[in-house]
Amino acid sequence: MIAKAPRLSTGLAEELVRIVGDDAVITDPARLMVYESDGLTAYRYPPRAVVLPQDGDETARVVRAITAERVPFVARGSGTGLSGGALAVDGAVVVCTARMNRILELDLHNRRARIQPGVVNAHLTAATQPHGLYYAPDPSSQSACSVGGNVAENSGGPHCLKYGVTSRYIRGLDVVLPDGSRVYLGDRGLDTGELDLAGLFVGSEGCFGIAVEIDVELLPLPQATHTLLGIFERLEDAGRAVTAIIADGLLPAALEIIDQATIRAVEESIFAAGYPTDAAAALVVEFDGIEAGLEAEAARAEAACLECGAREVRRATSADARAALWKGRKKAFGAMGRIAPDLLVQDATVPRTRLPDVLAEIAQIGARYDLKVANVFHAGDGNLHPNILFDRRDAAEMERVELASKEIMRICVDAGGTITGEHGVGLDKRDYMSLIHSDDTLRAMESVRRVFDPAGLCNPGKVLPDRIRGMDPAGAGAVEAESARATVPAGAA
Amino acid sequence: MSVEALEDASAVRDDEGGKEPVDGEANPGDARAMNGGAAAVGRATEAGGAPVVAPQTVRELSNLMARASRDGRQVRFIGNATSLPPGYLDGPVDLVVSTRALDTVHAYDPADLTLTADAGVSLGQLERVTGDQGQWLPLDPPARARRTLGGVLASGAYGPLQGKFGTPRDHVLGLTLVTGDGRVLELGGRVVKNVAGYDLVKLAVGSGGRLGIVTSATVRLHPLPVRDVTLLYQTPRLALTVVLARSLATAPVRIPALELLAGHGEEPTVAVRLLGSPEAVAESERILNARVGRNASRRLEGETSVRWFAALERFEDDAAAVARVSHLPSRLGDLVEPAVECGTVAAHVSLGVLRVAVSGPGASAAVVSDALTRLRDGVAQAGATFRVSRANTPRWPAPEPATAPGVLALTRGIVDSFDPAGVLSRPAS
């Protein structure tokens, strides 16, 4: 899927260089290739150009210049997204936030930080740790992904079981709107009685504008952390252990499962973590907080694992020993490169209690389509990542991947779940949106999008199915006309 | 229509099962015709009061809103009418829709820690249902037990527990919204992580009924804490209390609830609520006492701890007016002094939000408005925001905080898209 981008007009190119300098405008096709894909490598859209502004003012001027020529644009952070959200569809210009990577203010008294969007997630925590604080959301890509990207995707991570996702930690956003104007959304934690526009902006996948300054809330570092690794003979036992731990009234900071296919991939790779390769599943359980209570909680979790059939439970409290227990989980994605050249990281959420059934069904789907499916997931949240391994040069296999993906989405929705828990809809899942949302709801989303971006130039082609984009949101007439159109079989006209 | 009249109406429901109409009952025939078949259940006692209707199904409500939208009738929403924003029912209102007939808990799966209930279910009811399973919804807005789920979500109201558990937006996984023009939107879902599309749930929560009416919601529950302890630190001087509160707020411990009370007839007080395992609570207590160099003046545990904070939920009950003042938490000291001159203060210390309860129930409008004006001017110097969240006087001189033009334009666009006929709010002048 490689589209060809139109060229940048000379006038616009000159204007962009005037704003950001010629070292911050990329138009050379060879250099643009870096930006034609994100973490979802199956899609490629070369951008018309890439611009790297240094601050909010430059970003606003860049956006005004681009949209004045009715050219679309898309914001991009580190390019680690897994749903194609930052791809330059429709010959868009990429506005990359990589140079906006400064922590502008660290307010220790109020446990807040004001940062630019290109700040890498892990760097924020590294900068605040010496002061006893940290930034809680920790997506698995945290050593590379930007907080601006996390805001766009409302990113989660292993520890959001206890701490919640990105939206919980965003106090306010200084945003460049698609018309190039600048507005502060949110209340800086104040009590204003306004609509929660910051909450709406978080997770809007770059369709509502570009956050150029972000006010985040920081938490005090937990005093101590205890980690357990349960080894199970059966995947469903690990799933039952998760339910048992929650039923016991415990709230671990993380509850992560990796299945046998993943364990083997890890153990055969340079990341070998010492997980037994004959085990069907490994469950990582982590508790953090006040040291005094953790030992008792870890003991209860261990008992729950053993009652559910764990053949072994390892425990660790020191940083090194904990890192060793986590290693198999953290390196899972990297290790899969050994098995197949391509990896489709799927993402869906089901009610936690449905995990065992859904996992069994996913295994059947994999078998039916003759595909390797390896599961790594945030079990405590019911957030599954069935990873399909394939080779994109094999067209027949590609087709089976597509069909299997669709079936996996369908069973997750049928189990009362949703089509994405943390990776977003982007380009990849637009057509699954109708599995969970009515056309009325999709049109309501479209009408809100249009309030931010009436010209339709901000990250086009994302989140909503094409048939919804540009539709009239309200009014019975429009609604009926649209549903009538939707039911006409393709080709009937 | 007066708030008292509506509170009477809700009292009827609480005491007698909700079947009795209130005084001045509307002619059911008229109301039915106008309301798309929903039976009118009451009318406010004041002359010109709009009929109150309580649809029994979402479909009925949707029809009613579609009709009101077509006919250009002004509609307002109430739950138990415990905490309506001031002025919400002022001006020409044609119809008041109550969620009282939407009162079912639809799904509760303790193993998933999620619950789906109708908007008219009160938080007190939810507490009973979930308490039996050792779980709770850790959300403690003013007047919690009497408030409906729908009312809390519409208002976005929260209480001291936000320090750990967040505000209503952080508890809701999904909800059903009937828009101003009668569309029924299922927003969000029933799972704890969901990023499928724009987050219209966040938009609906706290929207004050400007976009539509929440008819049901799925919320995330938590296990009840094993240990519940409240520490009360009292000092004779307000300035000292502020220092103590700030010192606790910056301690290396996450405190679920941290409140400062002043002007309440006792010495200024800092209240800390600790929740968790017995070991963790004891250790937190030790860390906090060491940090401030003293022990708490009083220590409450278990049921008495729960009751102390439950009493704080009634802080606003008898006030003639309540103002909310907010600033960065570190600026607490600049706000408390002028606030305590004007009323009783309860502050969410780690958030930087002060509630100021002005005068008692019998206070004259002039007295209330004078106190509010002094408060507004007093905190304005510190650069704080100020708004009146409750008032029993028809007029108060304090303006809403000015909204930035960009935010106003976005807000108007969004409100228009949910309520194209403008039946849920009069346009801001």
Side-chain angles (χ1 to χ4, degrees), chain A residues 6 21 96 113 116 134 167 189 201 220 312 320 326 342 383 385 411 479:
Chain A
C96 181
Q116 289 188 313
Y134 77 116
S167 65
F201 190 93
E312 179 192 352
D320 287 349
W326 268 102
D342 292 287
N383 187 184
H385 293 312
I411 60 162
V479 171

Side-chain angles (χ1 to χ4, degrees), chain A residues 107-112 153-158 160-165 167-171 177 182-185 188-200 202-205 207-208 217 219-221 223 243 246-247 249-251 290-294 296-297 300 347 349-354 378 380-383 385 416-425 433 436-438 440-441 443-449 451-452 462-464 469 473-475 479, chain B residues 109-114 134-135 158 161-167 169-170 179 181-200 202-208 210-211 220 222-224 226 246 248-255 276-284 286-287 291 324-331 348 350-353 383-387 400-418 420:
Chain A
D107 178 357
L108 301 175
H109 290 295
N110 293 301
R111 294 185 170 163
R112 313 237 168 123
E153 302 296 319
N154 195 11
S155 303
C160 66
L161 170 62
K162 177 173 176 183
Y163 291 102
V165 294
S167 65
R168 199 48 214 277
Y169 297 91
I170 302 303
R171 286 299 190 181
L177 292 176
R182 213 160 149 181
V183 59
Y184 190 86
L185 305 181
R188 295 184 169 87
L190 304 182
D191 194 293
T192 59
E194 301 285 348
L195 292 181
D196 184 6
L197 297 181
L200 172 67
V202 174
S204 61
E205 303 200 21
C207 296
F208 293 179
E217 183 179 340
L219 292 185
L221 282 166
Q223 200 184 52
T243 302
I246 299 287
L250 294 168
L251 180 59
I290 296 286
E291 168 97 60
L294 295 185
E297 294 190 338
R300 280 160 67 193
D347 168 42
T349 310
V350 298
R352 185 170 42 234
T353 50
R354 299 298 306 274
H378 311 303
D381 294 318
N383 187 184
H385 293 312
T418 189
I419 58 167
T420 171
E422 58 182 6
H423 294 169
V425 177
M433 285 286 273
I436 48 167
H437 296 302
S438 71
D440 270 355
T441 299
R443 271 189 293 262
M445 289 183 188
E446 162 66 3
S447 64
V448 169
R449 186 197 65 75
V451 170
F452 284 82
K462 307 291 167 59
V463 182
L464 297 172
R469 275 243 172 177
V479 171
Chain B
D109 194 339
D112 278 325
L113 289 163
T114 59
Q135 299 180 351
Y158 58 87
L161 287 172
Q162 60 74 32
K164 175 170 181 183
F165 298 101
T167 62
R169 76 203 280 274
D170 302 306
T179 63
D181 56 350
R183 284 169 286 152
V184 179
L185 306 180
E186 303 279 349
L187 306 177
R190 292 186 181 190
V191 287
V192 296
K193 270 169 90 182
N194 187 358
V195 292
Y198 307 131
D199 196 347
L200 303 188
K202 294 275 189 317
L203 206 46
V205 174
S207 62
R210 281 177 286 177
L211 308 182
R220 180 181 190 173
H222 294 253
L224 273 167
V226 177
R246 285 294 306 151
L248 292 170
T250 50
V253 171
R254 238 181 136 198
I255 301 177
S277 69
E279 299 89 346
V281 166
E283 178 65 7
S284 299
R286 195 192 61 72
I287 293 171
R291 182 161 179 95
R324 300 178 73 87
V325 175
S326 59
H327 207 321
L328 286 170
S330 57
R331 302 293 298 277
H348 304 312
S350 49
L351 196 63
V353 173
T385 66
F386 167 89
R387 73 185 174 98
E400 292 288 305
T403 305
V407 171
L408 200 59
L410 292 172
T411 302
R412 281 189 175 144
I414 290 166
V415 168
D416 283 350
S417 82
F418 284 85

Side-chain angles (χ1 to χ4, degrees), chain B residues 15-171:
Chain B
D15 299 338
E16 301 172 38
K19 301 301 178 202
E20 292 292 310
V22 295
D23 290 348
E25 184 188 359
N27 178 331
D30 292 353
R32 227 176 261 272
M34 191 174 93
N35 308 329
V41 296
R43 185 189 285 274
T45 45
E46 286 179 5
V52 180
V53 297
Q56 306 216 339
T57 65
V58 173
R59 189 183 180 84
E60 208 174 278
L61 185 45
S62 158
N63 289 339
L64 185 154
M65 289 312 303
R67 183 175 302 214
S69 214
R70 203 182 54 209
D71 299 345
R73 291 182 183 276
Q74 286 291 313
V75 182
R76 299 293 180 270
F77 304 126
I78 59 166
N80 274 342
T82 51
S83 311
L84 295 171
Y88 181 64
L89 297 175
D90 288 355
V93 172
D94 300 305
L95 187 62
V96 175
V97 174
S98 161
T99 56
R100 75 174 58 178
L102 301 169
D103 60 357
T104 307
V105 174
H106 290 283
Y108 176 27
D109 194 339
D112 278 325
L113 289 163
T114 59
L115 177 146
T116 305
D118 278 341
V121 173
S122 72
L123 296 195
Q125 282 170 269
L126 285 187
E127 181 185 23
R128 288 189 288 278
V129 171
T130 58
D132 289 345
Q133 302 291 329
Q135 299 180 351
W136 67 326
L137 176 65
L139 187 58
D140 56 350
R144 177 189 57 89
R146 285 174 288 139
R147 269 177 116 136
T148 60
L149 180 60
V152 169
L153 299 188
S155 64
Y158 58 87
L161 287 172
Q162 60 74 32
K164 175 170 181 183
F165 298 101
T167 62
R169 76 203 280 274
D170 302 306
H171 295 275

